[in-house]
Amino acid sequence: MSNPRPKRPNDWDVEQYEGRHAYVWNFGASLIEILAPQPAERILDLGCGPGQLTAQIAESGAIAIGLDKSPAMIAQARINYPKLQFRLADGASFRVDEPVDAVFSNAALHWMKQPELVATCVWRALKPGGRFVAEFGGQGNVRAIVEAISAASGETESQWYFPSIGEYATLLERVGFAVTNAVLFDRPTPLAGEDGLQDWIKMFADPLLALKPVEERPEVIQRVEETVRPKLFRDGVWYADYKRLRIIAHREP
Ligand code: BEZ
């Protein structure tokens, strides 16, 4: 019997990520409309992944800088968009050389489990009055999937940060932001193909399976599928039960 893998996030499988999870940045496009980047603004894309949204921000004429903790993601972003700037850095400890007009973040903050440190870094990176426009998993995100995996695997410790509006807005205010808009909304997210849920679990929820030996994991995933099928499988398509927290805040001038 092989040992369970250690419970730590591995670096990303970027090929799988780009190939089967394009919805991550496709949904992020509407957040760029809210960001409304202007020519010559300096904008940091925090948790930029392989860079698709950084590139969309740059199309406006803004100077976009992508930042990610994953070496594999940053390497791919540099291949995808060689003319743009990408930096390898941790969201909980980064610093910028020159303050920016805005920090943007899509589908990344829920991976950063030291949110107060992250918010402090964002605040420090911004010019006074600068804006923070972010969307990520909020309270109750992927609840049905996580509960089913926990029941099947025995692992109950969450690897994500999914705060409520009250919790996150309070944290931002404590750090020195004025929160001007916050909304928590359901966004059922279609997953590609018949194996969509399996692919999602393998890509994102691996640590929740860590207590199980590798050879038992396919059976665990199958049990998860059976549990959530009535709720999350409709007309031949799997939907992840995403709940997004979208937030706009400004660094106090
Ligand atoms: C999300 O975008 O909400 C998400 C993605 C992967 C794992 C957990 C949450």
Side-chain angles (χ1 to χ4, degrees):
M1 183 178 89
S2 55
N3 284 330
R5 273 205 257 155
K7 272 174 48 179
R8 62 175 169 71
N10 297 313
D11 203 0
W12 293 87
D13 179 341
V14 181
E15 199 181 323
Q16 272 289 322
Y17 185 80
E18 286 198 303
R20 301 193 67 80
H21 304 274
Y23 52 85
V24 176
W25 56 90
N26 289 339
F27 274 111
S30 69
L31 193 64
I32 295 184
E33 284 174 28
I34 293 171
L35 173 71
Q38 301 299 309
E41 277 192 322
R42 287 175 61 78
I43 300 181
L44 192 69
D45 179 5
L46 177 57
C48 64
Q52 282 81 2
L53 293 177
T54 321
Q56 285 183 37
I57 293 168
E59 278 170 18
S60 68
I63 301 156
I65 305 143
L67 188 149
D68 206 288
K69 185 183 174 180
S70 155
M73 288 292 190
I74 288 294
Q76 188 62 40
R78 287 178 177 148
I79 292 168
N80 289 345
Y81 307 103
K83 294 198 172 131
L84 298 185
Q85 299 177 52
F86 292 99
R87 284 183 44 201
L88 182 66
D90 188 329
S93 59
F94 75 92
R95 283 180 179 270
V96 292
D97 305 330
E98 214 185 306
V100 297
D101 297 282
V103 175
F104 170 90
S105 185
N106 177 64
L109 296 177
H110 48 250
W111 293 103
M112 303 181 195
K113 296 213 48 178
Q114 294 173 294
E116 190 127 5
L117 292 181
V118 174
T120 302
C121 290
V122 171
W123 185 92
R124 206 170 45 202
L126 284 168
K127 294 177 184 171
R131 62 202 189 280
F132 180 32
V133 176
E135 183 176 312
F136 61 112
Q139 189 173 49
N141 194 37
V142 290
R143 180 174 280 153
I145 299 175
V146 169
E147 285 181 357
I149 299 175
S150 293
S153 72
E155 175 57 85
T156 54
E157 193 189 328
S158 171
Q159 58 186 320
W160 298 299
Y161 172 62
F162 295 146
S164 67
I165 289 180
E167 180 183 342
Y168 198 61
T170 304
L171 182 154
L172 290 181
E173 286 171 359
R174 203 162 47 236
V175 167
F177 283 99
V179 177
T180 49
N181 192 290
V183 57
L184 181 68
F185 58 97
D186 287 318
R187 200 202 63 204
T189 299
L191 305 174
E194 252 172 55
D195 294 335
L197 183 63
Q198 281 193 37
D199 289 341
W200 188 95
I201 293 171
K202 288 178 195 157
M203 179 88 232
F204 297 120
D206 211 27
L208 282 174
L209 301 175
L211 290 179
K212 290 287 179 189
V214 172
E215 62 271 21
E216 286 180 26
R217 291 181 193 173
E219 198 191 313
V220 171
I221 293 176
Q222 210 179 328
R223 261 188 282 149
V224 173
E225 282 187 324
E226 281 161 20
T227 306
V228 298
R229 184 177 291 274
K231 193 165 182 191
L232 302 182
F233 191 69
R234 293 189 290 280
D235 302 324
V237 179
W238 284 106
Y239 290 84
D241 52 337
Y242 278 16
K243 244 184 207 293
R244 315 316 284 168
L245 176 56
R246 189 174 265 191
I247 200 124
I248 306 172
H250 290 79
R251 173 175 164 159
E252 300 276 14

